[in-house]
Amino acid sequence: MTNESDNQAEEFQAEAQGRQTGLAREFWDFLKHNKKWWLTPILLIMLVLGLLVFLGGTGAAPFIYALF
């Protein structure tokens, strides 16, 4: 039992010393390992809508309003 907890502590320490991954990489790993590919179109639509909202407050607003 002690050997197992020592092993877990060593693994935890090795992970803590490793390089941090970004949010996009974490999400990609989540999709890949959990096979949640149906989330991809939802995320892309949310990103496009967020981009439109952001651009709506800039000088590009007249061009965006012309699309609708």
Coordinates of all heavy atoms in Angstrom, one line a residue:
M1 N 0.8 -1.2 0.0 CA 0.0 0.0 0.0 C 0.9 1.3 0.0 O 0.6 2.2 -0.7 CB -0.9 0.0 1.2 CG -2.0 1.0 1.2 SD -3.1 0.8 -0.1 CE -4.6 0.7 0.7
T2 N 1.9 1.2 0.7 CA 2.8 2.4 0.8 C 3.5 2.6 -0.5 O 3.7 3.8 -0.9 CB 3.9 2.2 1.9 OG1 3.3 1.6 3.0 CG2 4.5 3.5 2.3
N3 N 3.9 1.5 -1.2 CA 4.6 1.6 -2.5 C 3.6 2.3 -3.5 O 4.1 3.1 -4.3 CB 5.0 0.3 -2.9 CG 5.9 0.3 -4.1 OD1 6.5 1.4 -4.4 ND2 6.0 -0.8 -4.8
E4 N 2.3 1.9 -3.4 CA 1.4 2.5 -4.4 C 1.2 4.0 -4.2 O 1.2 4.8 -5.1 CB 0.0 1.8 -4.3 CG -1.0 2.2 -5.3 CD -2.3 1.4 -5.2 OE1 -2.2 0.2 -4.9 OE2 -3.3 2.0 -5.4
S5 N 1.1 4.4 -2.9 CA 0.9 5.8 -2.6 C 2.2 6.6 -3.0 O 2.1 7.8 -3.5 CB 0.6 6.0 -1.2 OG 1.6 5.6 -0.3
D6 N 3.4 6.0 -2.8 CA 4.6 6.6 -3.2 C 4.7 6.8 -4.7 O 5.1 7.8 -5.2 CB 5.8 5.8 -2.8 CG 6.1 5.9 -1.2 OD1 5.5 6.8 -0.6 OD2 6.8 5.0 -0.7
N7 N 4.2 5.8 -5.4 CA 4.2 5.8 -6.9 C 3.2 6.9 -7.4 O 3.5 7.6 -8.3 CB 3.7 4.4 -7.4 CG 4.2 4.2 -8.8 OD1 5.1 4.9 -9.3 ND2 3.7 3.1 -9.4
Q8 N 2.1 7.0 -6.7 CA 1.1 8.1 -7.1 C 1.7 9.4 -6.8 O 1.5 10.4 -7.6 CB -0.2 7.9 -6.4 CG -1.0 6.7 -6.9 CD -2.3 6.5 -6.1 OE1 -2.5 7.1 -5.0 NE2 -3.2 5.7 -6.6
A9 N 2.4 9.6 -5.7 CA 3.0 10.9 -5.4 C 4.1 11.2 -6.4 O 4.2 12.4 -6.8 CB 3.6 10.8 -4.0
E10 N 4.8 10.3 -6.9 CA 5.9 10.5 -7.9 C 5.2 10.9 -9.2 O 5.7 11.8 -9.9 CB 6.7 9.3 -8.1 CG 7.7 9.0 -6.9 CD 8.4 7.7 -7.1 OE1 8.4 7.1 -8.1 OE2 9.1 7.3 -6.1
E11 N 4.1 10.2 -9.6 CA 3.4 10.6 -10.8 C 2.9 12.0 -10.7 O 2.9 12.7 -11.7 CB 2.3 9.6 -11.1 CG 2.8 8.2 -11.5 CD 1.6 7.3 -11.7 OE1 0.5 7.7 -12.0 OE2 1.8 6.0 -11.7
F12 N 2.3 12.3 -9.6 CA 1.7 13.7 -9.4 C 2.8 14.7 -9.5 O 2.6 15.8 -10.2 CB 1.1 13.8 -8.0 CG 0.4 15.1 -7.8 CD1 -0.8 15.4 -8.3 CD2 1.1 16.0 -7.0 CE1 -1.3 16.7 -8.1 CE2 0.5 17.3 -6.7 CZ -0.7 17.6 -7.3
Q13 N 4.0 14.5 -8.9 CA 5.1 15.4 -9.0 C 5.6 15.6 -10.4 O 5.9 16.7 -10.8 CB 6.2 14.9 -8.1 CG 7.3 15.9 -7.8 CD 6.9 17.1 -7.0 OE1 5.8 17.1 -6.4 NE2 7.7 18.1 -7.1
A14 N 5.6 14.5 -11.1 CA 6.1 14.5 -12.5 C 5.1 15.4 -13.4 O 5.6 16.2 -14.2 CB 6.2 13.1 -13.1
E15 N 3.8 15.2 -13.2 CA 2.8 16.0 -13.9 C 2.9 17.5 -13.5 O 2.8 18.3 -14.3 CB 1.4 15.4 -13.6 CG 1.1 14.1 -14.3 CD 1.1 14.3 -15.8 OE1 0.6 15.3 -16.3 OE2 1.5 13.3 -16.5
A16 N 3.2 17.7 -12.2 CA 3.3 19.1 -11.8 C 4.5 19.8 -12.4 O 4.4 21.0 -12.7 CB 3.3 19.2 -10.3
Q17 N 5.6 19.1 -12.6 CA 6.8 19.7 -13.2 C 6.7 19.8 -14.7 O 7.4 20.6 -15.3 CB 8.0 18.8 -12.9 CG 8.3 18.7 -11.4 CD 8.7 20.0 -10.8 OE1 9.3 20.8 -11.5 NE2 8.3 20.2 -9.6
G18 N 5.7 19.2 -15.3 CA 5.6 19.2 -16.8 C 5.0 20.6 -17.3 O 4.7 21.4 -16.5
R19 N 5.1 20.7 -18.6 CA 4.6 22.0 -19.2 C 3.1 22.0 -19.2 O 2.4 21.1 -19.4 CB 5.1 22.0 -20.6 CG 5.3 23.4 -21.2 CD 5.9 23.3 -22.6 NE 4.8 23.0 -23.5 CZ 4.8 23.4 -24.8 NH1 5.8 24.1 -25.2 NH2 3.8 23.1 -25.5
Q20 N 2.6 23.2 -19.0 CA 1.1 23.4 -19.0 C 0.6 23.5 -20.4 O 1.3 24.0 -21.3 CB 0.7 24.7 -18.3 CG 0.4 24.6 -16.9 CD -0.2 25.9 -16.3 OE1 0.1 26.9 -16.8 NE2 -1.0 25.7 -15.3
T21 N -0.6 22.9 -20.6 CA -1.2 22.9 -22.0 C -2.2 24.0 -22.0 O -2.8 24.4 -20.9 CB -1.8 21.6 -22.3 OG1 -2.8 21.3 -21.3 CG2 -0.8 20.5 -22.4
G22 N -2.5 24.5 -23.1 CA -3.5 25.6 -23.3 C -4.9 25.0 -23.3 O -5.2 23.8 -23.3
L23 N -5.9 26.0 -23.3 CA -7.3 25.6 -23.2 C -7.7 24.9 -24.5 O -8.4 23.9 -24.4 CB -8.1 26.9 -23.1 CG -9.6 26.6 -23.0 CD1 -10.0 25.8 -21.8 CD2 -10.3 27.9 -23.0
A24 N -7.2 25.3 -25.6 CA -7.5 24.7 -26.9 C -7.0 23.2 -26.9 O -7.7 22.3 -27.4 CB -7.0 25.5 -28.1
R25 N -5.8 23.0 -26.5 CA -5.2 21.7 -26.4 C -5.9 20.8 -25.5 O -6.2 19.6 -25.8 CB -3.7 21.8 -26.1 CG -3.0 20.5 -26.0 CD -2.9 19.9 -27.4 NE -2.3 18.6 -27.3 CZ -2.1 17.8 -28.4 NH1 -2.5 18.2 -29.6 NH2 -1.5 16.7 -28.3
E26 N -6.3 21.3 -24.3 CA -7.1 20.5 -23.4 C -8.4 20.1 -24.0 O -8.9 19.0 -23.8 CB -7.3 21.3 -22.1 CG -6.1 21.5 -21.2 CD -5.8 20.3 -20.4 OE1 -6.7 19.5 -20.1 OE2 -4.6 20.3 -19.9
F27 N -9.1 21.0 -24.7 CA -10.4 20.7 -25.3 C -10.2 19.7 -26.4 O -11.0 18.8 -26.5 CB -11.0 22.0 -25.8 CG -12.4 21.8 -26.2 CD1 -13.5 21.5 -25.3 CD2 -12.8 21.8 -27.6 CE1 -14.8 21.3 -25.7 CE2 -14.0 21.6 -28.0 CZ -15.0 21.3 -27.1
W28 N -9.2 19.8 -27.2 CA -8.9 18.9 -28.2 C -8.7 17.5 -27.6 O -9.2 16.5 -28.2 CB -7.7 19.3 -29.1 CG -7.4 18.3 -30.1 CD1 -6.3 17.4 -30.1 CD2 -8.1 18.1 -31.3 NE1 -6.4 16.7 -31.3 CE2 -7.5 17.0 -32.0 CE3 -9.3 18.6 -31.9 CZ2 -7.9 16.5 -33.2 CZ3 -9.7 18.1 -33.1 CH2 -9.0 17.1 -33.8
D29 N -7.9 17.4 -26.6 CA -7.6 16.1 -25.9 C -8.9 15.5 -25.4 O -9.2 14.3 -25.4 CB -6.6 16.2 -24.8 CG -5.2 16.4 -25.4 OD1 -5.0 16.1 -26.6 OD2 -4.3 16.9 -24.7
F30 N -9.8 16.4 -24.8 CA -11.1 15.9 -24.3 C -11.9 15.3 -25.4 O -12.5 14.2 -25.3 CB -11.8 17.1 -23.6 CG -13.2 16.8 -23.3 CD1 -13.5 16.0 -22.2 CD2 -14.3 17.2 -24.1 CE1 -14.8 15.7 -21.8 CE2 -15.6 17.0 -23.7 CZ -15.9 16.2 -22.6
L31 N -12.0 16.0 -26.6 CA -12.8 15.5 -27.7 C -12.2 14.2 -28.2 O -13.0 13.2 -28.5 CB -12.8 16.5 -28.8 CG -13.6 17.8 -28.6 CD1 -13.4 18.7 -29.8 CD2 -15.0 17.5 -28.4
K32 N -10.9 14.1 -28.3 CA -10.3 12.9 -28.8 C -10.5 11.7 -27.9 O -10.8 10.6 -28.4 CB -8.8 13.2 -29.1 CG -8.1 12.1 -29.8 CD -6.7 12.6 -30.3 CE -5.8 12.8 -29.1 NZ -4.4 13.1 -29.5
H33 N -10.2 11.9 -26.6 CA -10.3 10.7 -25.7 C -11.7 10.3 -25.3 O -11.9 9.1 -25.1 CB -9.5 11.0 -24.5 CG -8.0 11.2 -24.7 ND1 -7.2 10.1 -25.1 CD2 -7.2 12.2 -24.7 CE1 -6.0 10.5 -25.3 NE2 -5.9 11.8 -25.0
N34 N -12.6 11.2 -25.3 CA -14.0 10.9 -24.9 C -14.9 10.8 -26.1 O -16.1 10.5 -25.8 CB -14.5 12.0 -23.9 CG -13.8 12.0 -22.6 OD1 -13.5 10.9 -22.1 ND2 -13.4 13.1 -22.1
K35 N -14.4 10.9 -27.3 CA -15.2 10.7 -28.5 C -16.5 11.6 -28.5 O -17.5 11.2 -28.8 CB -15.6 9.3 -28.7 CG -14.5 8.3 -28.5 CD -13.7 8.1 -29.8 CE -12.8 6.9 -29.8 NZ -11.5 7.2 -29.4
K36 N -16.3 12.9 -28.1 CA -17.4 13.8 -28.1 C -17.3 14.8 -29.3 O -17.4 16.0 -29.2 CB -17.3 14.7 -26.8 CG -17.4 13.9 -25.5 CD -18.7 13.4 -25.2 CE -18.7 12.7 -23.9 NZ -19.9 12.0 -23.6
W37 N -17.3 14.2 -30.5 CA -17.1 15.0 -31.7 C -18.4 15.8 -32.0 O -18.3 16.8 -32.8 CB -16.8 14.1 -32.9 CG -15.5 13.4 -32.7 CD1 -15.3 12.1 -32.5 CD2 -14.2 14.0 -32.6 NE1 -13.9 11.8 -32.3 CE2 -13.2 13.0 -32.4 CE3 -13.7 15.3 -32.8 CZ2 -11.9 13.2 -32.3 CZ3 -12.4 15.5 -32.7 CH2 -11.5 14.5 -32.5
W38 N -19.5 15.4 -31.4 CA -20.7 16.2 -31.7 C -20.6 17.6 -31.1 O -21.4 18.5 -31.4 CB -21.9 15.4 -31.2 CG -21.9 15.1 -29.7 CD1 -21.3 14.0 -29.2 CD2 -22.3 15.9 -28.6 NE1 -21.4 14.0 -27.8 CE2 -22.0 15.2 -27.4 CE3 -22.9 17.1 -28.5 CZ2 -22.3 15.7 -26.2 CZ3 -23.2 17.6 -27.3 CH2 -22.9 16.9 -26.1
L39 N -19.7 17.8 -30.2 CA -19.5 19.2 -29.6 C -18.8 20.2 -30.5 O -19.0 21.4 -30.4 CB -18.7 19.1 -28.3 CG -19.4 18.5 -27.1 CD1 -18.4 18.3 -26.0 CD2 -20.5 19.4 -26.6
T40 N -18.1 19.6 -31.5 CA -17.4 20.5 -32.4 C -18.2 21.5 -33.2 O -17.9 22.7 -33.2 CB -16.5 19.6 -33.4 OG1 -15.8 18.7 -32.6 CG2 -15.7 20.5 -34.3
P41 N -19.4 21.1 -33.8 CA -20.2 22.1 -34.5 C -20.8 23.1 -33.6 O -20.9 24.3 -33.9 CB -21.3 21.3 -35.2 CG -20.9 19.9 -35.0 CD -19.8 19.8 -34.1
I42 N -21.1 22.7 -32.4 CA -21.7 23.6 -31.4 C -20.7 24.7 -31.0 O -21.0 25.9 -31.0 CB -22.2 22.9 -30.2 CG1 -23.4 21.9 -30.5 CG2 -22.6 23.8 -29.1 CD1 -23.8 21.0 -29.5
L43 N -19.5 24.2 -30.8 CA -18.4 25.2 -30.4 C -18.1 26.1 -31.6 O -17.9 27.3 -31.3 CB -17.1 24.4 -30.0 CG -15.9 25.2 -29.6 CD1 -16.2 25.9 -28.3 CD2 -14.7 24.4 -29.6
L44 N -18.0 25.6 -32.8 CA -17.7 26.5 -33.9 C -18.8 27.6 -34.1 O -18.5 28.7 -34.4 CB -17.6 25.7 -35.2 CG -16.4 24.8 -35.3 CD1 -16.4 23.9 -36.5 CD2 -15.1 25.7 -35.2
I45 N -20.1 27.2 -34.0 CA -21.2 28.2 -34.1 C -21.1 29.2 -33.0 O -21.3 30.4 -33.2 CB -22.5 27.4 -34.1 CG1 -22.7 26.7 -35.4 CG2 -23.7 28.4 -33.9 CD1 -23.9 25.8 -35.4
M46 N -20.8 28.8 -31.8 CA -20.6 29.7 -30.7 C -19.5 30.7 -30.9 O -19.6 31.9 -30.7 CB -20.4 29.0 -29.4 CG -21.6 28.3 -28.9 SD -21.4 27.3 -27.4 CE -20.7 28.5 -26.2
L47 N -18.4 30.2 -31.5 CA -17.2 31.1 -31.8 C -17.6 32.1 -32.9 O -17.2 33.3 -32.8 CB -16.0 30.2 -32.3 CG -15.3 29.5 -31.2 CD1 -14.2 28.6 -31.8 CD2 -14.7 30.4 -30.2
V48 N -18.3 31.6 -33.9 CA -18.7 32.5 -35.0 C -19.7 33.6 -34.5 O -19.5 34.8 -34.8 CB -19.4 31.8 -36.2 CG1 -20.1 32.7 -37.2 CG2 -18.3 30.9 -36.9
L49 N -20.6 33.2 -33.7 CA -21.6 34.2 -33.1 C -20.8 35.2 -32.2 O -21.1 36.4 -32.2 CB -22.7 33.5 -32.3 CG -23.7 32.8 -33.2 CD1 -24.7 32.0 -32.3 CD2 -24.4 33.8 -34.1
G50 N -19.9 34.7 -31.4 CA -19.1 35.6 -30.6 C -18.2 36.5 -31.4 O -18.1 37.7 -31.0
L51 N -17.7 36.1 -32.5 CA -17.0 37.0 -33.4 C -17.9 38.0 -34.0 O -17.5 39.2 -34.1 CB -16.3 36.1 -34.5 CG -15.4 36.9 -35.5 CD1 -14.2 37.4 -34.8 CD2 -15.0 36.0 -36.6
L52 N -19.1 37.6 -34.4 CA -20.0 38.6 -34.9 C -20.4 39.7 -33.9 O -20.5 40.9 -34.2 CB -21.3 37.9 -35.4 CG -21.1 37.2 -36.8 CD1 -22.4 36.5 -37.1 CD2 -20.8 38.2 -37.9
V53 N -20.6 39.3 -32.6 CA -20.9 40.2 -31.6 C -19.8 41.1 -31.3 O -19.9 42.4 -31.2 CB -21.3 39.5 -30.3 CG1 -21.3 40.4 -29.1 CG2 -22.6 38.7 -30.4
F54 N -18.5 40.6 -31.3 CA -17.4 41.4 -31.1 C -17.2 42.4 -32.3 O -17.0 43.6 -32.0 CB -16.1 40.6 -31.0 CG -14.8 41.3 -31.0 CD1 -14.5 42.0 -29.8 CD2 -14.0 41.4 -32.1 CE1 -13.3 42.8 -29.8 CE2 -12.8 42.1 -32.0 CZ -12.5 42.8 -30.9
L55 N -17.3 42.0 -33.5 CA -17.2 42.9 -34.6 C -18.3 43.9 -34.8 O -18.2 44.9 -35.4 CB -17.1 42.1 -35.9 CG -15.8 41.3 -36.1 CD1 -15.8 40.4 -37.3 CD2 -14.6 42.2 -36.1
G56 N -19.5 43.6 -34.1 CA -20.6 44.5 -34.1 C -20.3 45.8 -33.4 O -20.9 46.8 -33.7
G57 N -19.3 45.8 -32.5 CA -19.0 47.0 -31.8 C -17.8 47.7 -32.4 O -17.3 48.6 -31.8
T58 N -17.3 47.3 -33.5 CA -16.2 47.9 -34.1 C -16.6 48.7 -35.4 O -17.8 48.8 -35.7 CB -15.1 46.9 -34.5 OG1 -15.6 46.0 -35.5 CG2 -14.7 46.1 -33.3
G59 N -15.6 49.1 -36.2 CA -15.9 49.8 -37.4 C -16.5 48.8 -38.5 O -16.9 49.3 -39.6
A60 N -16.4 47.6 -38.3 CA -16.9 46.6 -39.3 C -18.4 46.4 -39.1 O -19.0 45.6 -39.9 CB -16.2 45.3 -39.1
A61 N -19.1 47.1 -38.2 CA -20.5 46.9 -37.9 C -21.4 47.1 -39.1 O -22.3 46.3 -39.4 CB -20.9 47.7 -36.8
P62 N -21.2 48.2 -39.9 CA -22.0 48.4 -41.1 C -22.0 47.2 -42.1 O -23.0 46.9 -42.7 CB -21.5 49.7 -41.7 CG -20.8 50.4 -40.6 CD -20.3 49.3 -39.7
F63 N -20.8 46.6 -42.2 CA -20.7 45.5 -43.1 C -21.4 44.2 -42.6 O -22.0 43.4 -43.4 CB -19.3 45.2 -43.4 CG -18.5 46.4 -44.0 CD1 -17.6 47.1 -43.2 CD2 -18.8 46.8 -45.3 CE1 -16.9 48.2 -43.7 CE2 -18.1 47.9 -45.8 CZ -17.2 48.6 -45.1
I64 N -21.4 44.0 -41.3 CA -22.0 42.9 -40.7 C -23.5 43.1 -40.7 O -24.3 42.1 -41.1 CB -21.6 42.7 -39.2 CG1 -20.1 42.3 -39.2 CG2 -22.4 41.7 -38.5 CD1 -19.5 42.3 -37.8
Y65 N -24.1 44.3 -40.5 CA -25.5 44.5 -40.5 C -26.0 44.3 -41.9 O -27.2 43.9 -42.1 CB -25.8 45.9 -40.0 CG -25.5 46.1 -38.6 CD1 -25.0 47.2 -38.1 CD2 -25.8 45.1 -37.6 CE1 -24.7 47.4 -36.7 CE2 -25.6 45.2 -36.3 CZ -25.0 46.4 -35.8 OH -24.7 46.5 -34.5
A66 N -25.2 44.5 -43.0 CA -25.6 44.3 -44.3 C -25.8 42.9 -44.6 O -26.6 42.5 -45.6 CB -24.6 44.9 -45.3
L67 N -25.2 42.0 -43.9 CA -25.4 40.5 -44.1 C -26.8 40.1 -43.7 O -27.3 39.1 -44.2 CB -24.4 39.7 -43.3 CG -22.9 39.9 -43.7 CD1 -22.0 39.2 -42.8 CD2 -22.7 39.4 -45.2
F68 N -27.4 40.8 -42.8 CA -28.7 40.3 -42.3 C -29.8 41.2 -42.8 O -30.9 41.1 -42.7 CB -28.7 40.3 -40.7 CG -27.7 39.4 -40.2 CD1 -26.5 39.9 -39.6 CD2 -27.9 38.1 -40.2 CE1 -25.6 39.1 -39.1 CE2 -27.0 37.2 -39.6 CZ -25.8 37.7 -39.1

